[in-house]
Amino acid sequence: MSLEQIAAEALRLPPKERAMLAESLWESLVDPFKIPAMANDAELAELASERDRQMETGEVQPISHEELMSRLRR
């Protein structure tokens, strides 16, 4: 099955099942920015500061939500 065929089939699922599928797919990805479930406020503030620094120094470039979704669909 092609990606387009899979997507078309997935879109036929009821909303709750689509949400479960989306969650399952999302969790299958390795996320380098994953926030630990038990992170405290200080750790989250440090993470936010680090990400801000990365954008300010040009180490990473922010993208819009539209661009993110476009890249994910490729």
Side-chain angles (χ1 to χ4, degrees), residues 33-49:
F33 298 111
K34 188 170 183 169
I35 299 173
M38 301 302 292
N40 63 40
D41 288 346
E43 291 170 328
L44 295 176
E46 184 178 330
L47 178 59
S49 293

Side-chain angles (χ1 to χ4, degrees), residues 7-71:
E9 289 297 317
L11 290 172
R12 289 189 183 113
L13 294 170
K16 185 175 181 178
E17 291 180 16
R18 285 196 319 263
M20 291 169 56
L21 175 60
E23 181 180 20
S24 176
L25 291 170
W26 180 255
E27 289 177 354
S28 73
L29 300 175
V30 176
D31 182 359
F33 298 111
K34 188 170 183 169
I35 299 173
M38 301 302 292
N40 63 40
D41 288 346
E43 291 170 328
L44 295 176
E46 184 178 330
L47 178 59
S49 293
E50 173 61 15
R51 290 185 183 170
D52 188 52
R53 182 200 64 74
Q54 290 172 335
M55 286 188 289
E56 286 181 359
T57 63
E59 188 176 333
V60 297
Q61 295 297 312
I63 60 172
S64 68
H65 180 263
E66 289 175 353
E67 176 64 19
L68 171 65
M69 296 309 293
S70 173
R71 289 182 187 184

